[in-house]
Amino acid sequence: MGTQTVAELVRRQWGDHRTGLRDEHTTLTHHQVASGAAARAALLTELMPDGPGCEPHLGLLLDNTPEYPLWLGAAALAGAAVAGINPTRRGAELARDIRHTDCRILVTQRAHLPLLDGLPLPGIRVLVTDTDAYRELLAPYGSATPGDTFLRPVRPGSRLLLTFTSGSTGAPKAAVCSQGRLAAAGAALVSRFGTRDDDTHYICMPMFHGNAVIADWAPALAAGAGIALRARFSASRFLPDVRRFGATYFTYVGRAVQYLLATPATPHDRDHRLRLGFGTEAGAVDAARFEARFGARLVEGYGSSEGGAAIQRTPGTPAGAVGRAAPGDDLAVLDPATLRECPPARFSPTGVLLNADEAVGELVNRGRSSFEGYWRNPEAEAARLRDGCYWTGDLFYRDADGFLYFAGRADDRLRVDSENLAAAMIEGILSRWERAAGVAVYAIPDPVAGDRVMAAVALRDGAVFDPRAFADFLAAQSDLGTKMPPTYVRVVPGLPLTATHKIHRVALRRAALACPDPVWWRPSPAAPYEPFTETARETLRREYEERHRPFPGDPS
């Protein structure tokens, strides 16, 4: 954790009349950004209840509009904390996120109001930014300055972010990030990438994720750089935005890179100022394709909203490896049962891992971790901090030169389009289907990055799998998030069980798409379910081979 605060960085913008924040509708100078943050901090101070048990927390249920960074700045000035609320969540799960983080105020926009219909949110005041009522409410505070006194004194340890990250037990955990840690993360990226005050950071990843706030907004603020926003990621608008805003830096996830590469190539693909993208899960093949086509380098990293461990990709990193431990981290791959370090990986001449049984273990930070805990979740904190180490929950193996390779997740989590999902939560929803006698949900690797959702469904006696009825059932579930529907459905006569009568997920994952049972799939999220034929299997297999990834279910 650093000694500087985000509030100091916001105050530093005061008096700077260069362009500081833009989207397709709005242009603000740095000075106007600081002024807008101060006005919202003053409003927040007026509205936020005080007294025992009243945490100064607000939720942001917003697209990437200028209101999002303005409210982040407001919270920093006021000594409040922001919970980024994920708009892909639904129903009771969405309400749970808002209530769990003790939000007293929820800032949203008209497009998201239907998500709140009928939700039990007692005592929570909702502000709708694109309304006359909101503008009238904010108007009296227009003369506020960043140097005013607001809710409470701000220190480096003051809580600023509550960022949701999923776990294996279903309910997402809210990772705490202080002002000092966020300011230090921004400064570290400025130092690493040489960000300048004449750069423009393009934020197209959703700001309720740590990716956009920690790796894009914070370094822009630390460098005094400009920020350009896209409300939601759009592959077709990416290059026009980059050109229009003069963007030089952006953050990404692997799926976004895939979408960008799928756009039609033109002779003008390099007509821009973009020089660098920083993110995760693009993969070496797609990163090389991106640089060859667009002329901008992609830099891969591994990290988490918790801040417990980080890996940096450096020159010379082998294909398939993530990189080496970031400076200051003492990372090891440990056997959770023995706490001993796993031996180095051994590879065949073609790069196949030969000793997975002994080389794969959990990635652990044995050094000083910047993890600051989870909000109101001591059990999850205890699971992270064991035996004097920070346990990431991710499986890795390490080669003889110290390069780390990602091998999966230590519990039943899935990562779909960079959304962390809990298998148990999806299972609970799918189990409502009247034709299902049992359901198991598990991850299989995506051809490019992350996971796809696969479900094994055992049907009730006399029932048959009707793909249209199943799709209609999914569409009717109000709490089924947009990333949760299974891409693949394996129809099984019965779920495999272990000796202790638990679902044998290892066997399901191992069989994956090479299973003997009928499989139905959606080639795209909006497509109807159709049989996963041999022709479809071979077409998909070529996608995996093209990116040097093993086809799910093939023997390693």
Side-chain angles (χ1 to χ4, degrees), residues 165-173 384 411-413 420-425:
T165 176
S166 294
S168 61
T169 56
K173 306 179 293 293
R384 282 279 178 258
D411 49 28
D412 295 316
R413 285 180 290 169
N420 286 320
L421 305 174
M425 182 183 303

Side-chain angles (χ1 to χ4, degrees), residues 181-223:
R181 179 159 78 88
L182 186 58
L189 289 174
V190 169
S191 176
R192 180 180 177 188
F193 295 132
T195 307
R196 305 181 300 267
D197 63 2
D198 61 348
D199 279 314
T200 296
H201 286 220
Y202 179 55
I203 302 180
C204 55
M205 295 292 100
M207 293 192 74
F208 61 80
H209 268 183
N211 174 298
V213 174
I214 298 173
D216 214 342
W217 181 72
L221 198 63

Side-chain angles (χ1 to χ4, degrees), residues 508-556:
L508 290 170
R509 292 193 194 99
R510 186 181 295 127
L513 297 178
C515 65
D517 301 306
V519 174
W520 295 76
W521 78 311
R522 275 177 163 168
S524 65
Y529 283 98
E530 62 185 52
F532 188 61
T533 63
E534 194 59 34
T535 300
R537 187 192 311 272
E538 292 310 309
T539 300
L540 190 61
R541 186 187 299 276
R542 286 193 290 272
E543 285 191 48
Y544 283 89
E545 291 174 348
E546 182 179 74
R547 293 174 171 85
H548 309 293
R549 292 169 70 87
F551 184 77
D554 279 358
S556 58

